[in-house]
Amino acid sequence: MFRRRTPQAPAPAPVVTDGRTPRRLWSDGFGTLATRAVQIIAVVILAAGLVYASQTLSVVVIPVLLALIFACAFEPLMGWLRPRLGPSFSTAIVLLAIVLIIGGLGWAMVSAVRSQWSELYAQAQEGFLQVVAWVNTLPFAPDQAQIDEWIASVTDFFTSAQFGSGAVAGVGAVANFVTGFVLMVVVLFFFLKDGPQIWSFLTRPFEGEWYARVQRAGAKSVDTFGAYVRGTAAVAAVDAIGIGIGLFVLGVPLAFPLTILVFLLAFIPIVGATVAGILASLVALVANGPIVAIIVIAIVVVVNQLEGNLLQPILMGRALKLHSLVVLIALAIGTVLGGILGAILAAPFAAVVWGIVQVWDGPATPARWARRKDRRVGARA
């Protein structure tokens, strides 16, 4: 007749602030601040762990990231070839083209440096002696004993065990590069051949709205990476051709290696073109004199202005929708974490993160915190 009542846990006692309005613990301003602080600390710890793991496994992580970027860049070509030639044959063609282009550029650059190294060394030595002679004419110039001491210190360093250990480390770096390059080629083969199947497998744990969100994020990442790499490569090619023609006409030594270097440094936004211009002008100064060096600087400035004001808006489009300050901060962080390669990868990864934010809640709907506000009412648009 009588039902036995199930004992219930007592409700937590509310925190009474003014004797009339009860409030739950952690619901006031300091509680919200503490909760956000704990969340931020957890995110920072997770990010630090990922960075540490990436640096520890850099021989694996970097080749996989480069393979992913190359696969995104060549996805339109693979999409056109795959139904016509089959996945295996089309992958072999694209992969062979990539390896031949990278290997050919590297071989040509090394061969040009080797063939002109003795000439450049003699010119550099002569230029160094001229600089020393000019310094000796200054009122605060060092005496010959100090100069001899500096030269002896440099000579001792190059003949010391420390420099020998550095050379051994350089041999290890070359071995790591070869290992990473082979791994990148293998991973790139599977990304090109089975990319859609790999992505389908990775999205299996997601369902409902999260599945749609992951699909949008993946498509946006591929589009952003591909557009960035293709646009930057086109802009870098135009830069290298323009500056390279000027170097060849002026008779600057190592013109071809400098042209390849201009092409590679153009993948570092904002600072890459400046560094390439400085290197080219220094070589011209040592080998051809100050007049030719000034002409080289003028050529670099004209080409960079043409790139920034005409080529990038046309060829890059909206692939990199980031403010210059954001790009600079991303470059600084990437350089600290990954050196030159980190500087190259920082901008496209920042663009991908922002692109994912832009499609977080829908194909054209950014995440709520990133939406524009209606200034008239102060609400999110």
Side-chain angles (χ1 to χ4, degrees), residues 117-342:
W117 180 255
S118 58
E119 176 186 357
L120 183 64
Y121 176 79
Q123 292 172 341
Q125 186 177 16
E126 181 181 356
F128 176 75
L129 294 177
Q130 292 176 357
V131 171
V132 171
W134 173 75
V135 169
N136 287 330
T137 62
L138 299 176
F140 51 85
D143 55 19
Q144 187 62 38
Q146 290 176 322
I147 296 176
D148 294 338
E149 182 180 356
W150 294 341
I151 295 176
S153 299
V154 174
T155 304
D156 292 340
F157 170 75
F158 281 106
T159 57
S160 64
Q162 182 180 1
F163 181 77
S165 62
V168 174
V171 174
V174 172
N176 289 336
F177 172 79
V178 173
T179 303
F181 182 77
V182 173
L183 179 61
M184 186 201 73
V185 172
V186 175
V187 175
L188 180 59
F189 173 81
F190 289 106
F191 279 171
L192 292 173
K193 179 177 177 293
D194 302 321
Q197 290 82 359
I198 295 175
W199 178 246
S200 177
F201 174 78
L202 293 176
T203 57
R204 286 182 182 179
F206 301 96
E207 296 179 355
E209 176 59 28
W210 273 102
Y211 178 79
R213 182 171 289 164
V214 169
Q215 291 292 338
R216 291 194 302 268
K220 189 67 175 180
S221 300
V222 173
D223 292 341
T224 303
F225 270 137
Y228 179 84
V229 173
R230 291 189 297 269
T232 304
V235 172
V238 174
D239 284 353
I241 292 173
I243 297 176
I245 291 175
L247 295 178
F248 277 106
V249 171
L250 294 173
V252 177
L254 302 176
F256 181 76
L258 288 174
T259 301
I260 302 299
L261 192 61
V262 169
F263 176 79
L264 296 177
L265 289 178
F267 282 86
I268 304 177
I270 301 177
V271 299
T274 303
V275 173
I278 292 174
L279 292 176
S281 60
L282 286 177
V283 174
L285 177 63
V286 171
N288 304 89
I291 303 299
V292 176
I294 293 174
I295 297 175
V296 170
I297 293 175
I299 293 174
V300 173
V301 171
V302 171
V303 172
N304 289 336
Q305 290 299 314
L306 177 65
E307 167 206 331
N309 297 323
L310 180 62
L311 293 179
Q312 281 196 352
I314 295 176
L315 297 177
M316 295 284 293
R318 297 176 61 83
L320 190 60
K321 295 178 285 187
L322 296 174
H323 193 274
S324 299
L325 178 61
V326 178
V327 175
L328 284 175
I329 294 175
L331 286 176
I333 295 174
T335 304
V336 171
L337 296 179
I340 296 179
L341 190 59

